[in-house]
Amino acid sequence: MVARDRVDQSSLPGLVERVRRIEAAAPVGFTSITRGGLRIASAQGLVIEGTSITIGTQFIDGEIYIAGLLSGDGLIDWNGTMRLRGPATIEDGGAVTVLGGISVRLGLTDAGVPGLQFGTGGQVVGTSDGVQLNNASGNGFAYANADRVGMSRGPRSINVDVDRTSVVGPFRLGSLTTPPPGTAVYDVVTDGAGNIFRRP
């Protein structure tokens, strides 16, 4: 309702009341812009001392500076260069995936341990003291740790230790595919001088 002045009464009390209402009002408390836009040209910018809610598309042409926690629950679709100047932590269950002919995923592998997986195939995973490269079926791998490097496929393996090299069979030499009946198969071990030994 619009306040009206009456000529037969003093306008002073009404003016005082109207000024009091203006002083106590929040003029932008329920502001809505349906046409045009809002431009803030001051150096102080827009200061929000509470929660900011944006519904719809937001276009920002300029720098974004965040001094605090950036938390979200949704998809980030980024088309451009991203630069990280500090540590990043991928928590349990998270992963970084690079799509292509064969996708590469950094996170939990099919083996259930953190590592690098190529598609649904090979994996590079860390061990307690080294690293291991696994094939897709899981029956072959190469590894390196503090004391030994080697590779294995099924029951066969080659291990290189500090003081020896060992071959675990069954294995074949030349055209011999299976040992003759009654012949025992031994590990073959070499020492640092190149000597070859059979170990029962």
Side-chain angles (χ1 to χ4, degrees), residues 4 9 12 38 59 63 72 76 79 88 108 118 122 138 154 162 177 181 183 194:
R4 300 180 182 275
Q9 295 181 356
L12 183 59
L38 174 65
F59 177 77
E63 294 186 2
I76 298 178
N79 183 18
L108 286 183
F118 301 88
V162 176
T177 57
T183 302

Side-chain angles (χ1 to χ4, degrees), residues 59-79:
F59 177 77
I60 300 175
D61 184 7
E63 294 186 2
I64 301 176
Y65 177 77
I66 300 174
L69 175 65
L70 175 61
S71 177
D73 184 11
L75 175 67
I76 298 178
D77 188 356
W78 192 271
N79 183 18

Side-chain angles (χ1 to χ4, degrees), residues 12-122:
L12 183 59
L15 290 174
V16 172
E17 177 63 23
R18 287 158 65 179
V19 170
R20 183 181 295 112
R21 290 180 182 178
I22 293 175
E23 289 178 342
V28 295
F30 299 94
T31 301
S32 175
I33 301 174
T34 56
R35 298 179 62 184
L38 174 65
R39 179 182 178 87
I40 301 174
S42 70
Q44 290 76 21
L46 176 65
V47 179
I48 300 175
E49 296 181 351
T51 302
S52 175
I53 300 175
T54 302
I55 301 175
T57 302
Q58 185 174 10
F59 177 77
I60 300 175
D61 184 7
E63 294 186 2
I64 301 176
Y65 177 77
I66 300 174
L69 175 65
L70 175 61
S71 177
D73 184 11
L75 175 67
I76 298 178
D77 188 356
W78 192 271
N79 183 18
T81 301
M82 181 177 292
R83 183 169 52 193
L84 183 65
R85 294 182 177 176
T89 301
I90 302 174
E91 295 188 353
D92 190 13
V96 175
T97 302
V98 180
L99 299 178
I102 298 178
S103 63
V104 180
R105 186 175 77 249
L106 175 62
L108 286 183
T109 65
D110 290 345
V113 294
L116 186 67
Q117 179 155 345
F118 301 88
T120 57

